[in-house]
Amino acid sequence: VLLFFFLKGVLSILINRAIYRFSFLQVAELRGRLVNSYQNMAYKIYLERNSSDYVHALTGYTAQYGEVLVLSLKLFSEAIVTLGLLGVLFFVDPLILIILVFSISLAIYLYDRVFHKRLDNVASREIGHNKRMLSSVSETIYGFKEIRILGCENYFLNQVQHNSIASAKIRSFVRLTQTSSRYLIEILIVSGVVIFVSVAAYQGLSSIEVFPVIAIFGASALRLNPIAATVANGLSTYRFARPSIT
């Protein structure tokens, strides 16, 4: 058993290393391609956008792309584990499989229904705040002499503070939605256990018959809960990053 968990841990570390390395190398390559594109851009086209837009694309958009890529690869690896576990549950007890799949699917559906519109809204707002913040920072640095002469330091300071605070509030909301998914899934899984025990008691099943099933249910839920939370977290990440990567 110890050897199994040791090998599982080593394999997980190696898989995560490969995922992170591949994803961040892709981000580095994307940034290089963007810089090359900017350098070969017609000057007239370059002037159509603020310089902060190009900076934000090189830093913010590419970082979002990296997060989505990491999450996508993790979901793919977790999907393989999930299919294997669901296959085992199907042969052990189809009822447990049905309850677990229903509880987790319901949790992910409710989570997405509650937050998806808000995430779509705040994603666009966060991009706007970041652009204005970067523009103010750029103007503050490159226009240092003119700003000092005109005495308008407070204006640029307020712009940076306002947009930074607004962006921070949006980020904290997104992180809250991502962490809350796990608790919602736990609640519905426990509800599934309660429903199963209630049905078993109503049918007059003995504790000897019920306890092994509950043990299998608990062990499966313990493994599937992080996977389901990753899926729910992935949905929120995709929705929040969609304006940046589309």
Side-chain angles (χ1 to χ4, degrees):
V1 175
L2 182 61
L3 179 61
F4 170 77
F5 280 100
F6 174 77
L7 293 175
K8 177 178 175 294
V10 171
L11 184 60
S12 299
I13 292 172
L14 292 176
I15 291 174
N16 282 320
R17 178 180 179 274
I19 289 174
Y20 289 130
R21 185 177 179 83
F22 173 79
S23 300
F24 293 131
L25 285 175
Q26 289 297 307
V27 170
E29 181 182 349
L30 178 59
R31 285 174 175 162
R33 290 166 60 185
L34 280 173
V35 170
N36 183 61
S37 175
Y38 295 158
Q39 290 174 338
N40 292 283
M41 183 185 298
Y43 187 66
K44 183 179 179 180
I45 297 176
Y46 170 79
L47 293 176
E48 293 178 355
R49 299 172 61 185
N50 192 291
S51 59
S52 63
D53 292 345
Y54 299 110
V55 175
H56 186 59
L58 279 169
T59 56
Y61 292 165
T62 53
Q64 290 276 26
Y65 169 76
E67 289 183 15
V68 171
L69 187 57
V70 168
L71 190 58
S72 301
L73 294 174
K74 282 191 172 184
L75 285 175
F76 178 76
S77 63
E78 293 286 5
I80 299 174
V81 177
T82 303
L83 289 175
L85 185 57
L86 293 179
V88 172
L89 284 176
F90 177 78
F91 288 103
V92 172
D93 196 320
L95 179 60
I96 295 178
L97 176 62
I98 293 172
I99 294 174
L100 269 177
V101 170
F102 176 77
S103 300
I104 292 174
S105 300
L106 179 62
I108 294 175
Y109 173 77
L110 292 175
Y111 171 83
D112 189 53
R113 289 289 296 177
V114 169
F115 292 114
H116 81 277
K117 289 184 179 179
R118 185 76 184 276
L119 287 169
D120 289 341
N121 181 36
V122 298
S124 300
R125 287 168 49 199
E126 203 256 352
I127 290 175
H129 286 303
N130 279 337
K131 284 183 177 180
R132 288 189 289 272
M133 187 267 294
L134 287 172
S135 177
S136 298
V137 170
S138 178
E139 290 168 355
T140 299
I141 300 301
Y142 294 110
F144 179 84
K145 180 180 178 180
E146 291 79 2
I147 291 172
R148 179 65 60 85
I149 293 173
L150 295 173
C152 53
E153 293 90 348
N154 287 336
Y155 171 78
F156 290 96
L157 175 61
N158 291 334
Q159 286 294 311
V160 172
Q161 288 181 332
H162 170 73
N163 288 292
S164 296
I165 291 172
S167 179
K169 289 180 178 178
I170 291 173
R171 284 283 176 176
S172 64
F173 168 75
V174 173
R175 289 292 182 265
L176 177 63
T177 60
Q178 291 173 343
T179 55
S180 62
S181 61
R182 181 171 184 173
Y183 303 110
L184 175 62
I185 294 170
E186 285 180 352
I187 291 172
L188 290 180
I189 288 177
V190 171
S191 300
V193 174
V194 172
I195 292 172
F196 176 79
V197 172
S198 300
V199 171
Y202 178 78
Q203 293 179 345
L205 298 177
S206 65
S207 59
I208 297 176
E209 296 174 298
V210 174
F211 283 158
V213 177
I214 294 177
I216 297 173
F217 190 102
S220 302
L222 187 66
R223 184 65 188 92
L224 288 174
N225 184 27
I227 297 175
T230 301
V231 173
N233 182 18
L235 288 174
S236 65
T237 301
Y238 286 140
R239 291 192 180 281
F240 185 68
R242 184 165 55 184
S244 300
I245 60 179
T246 55

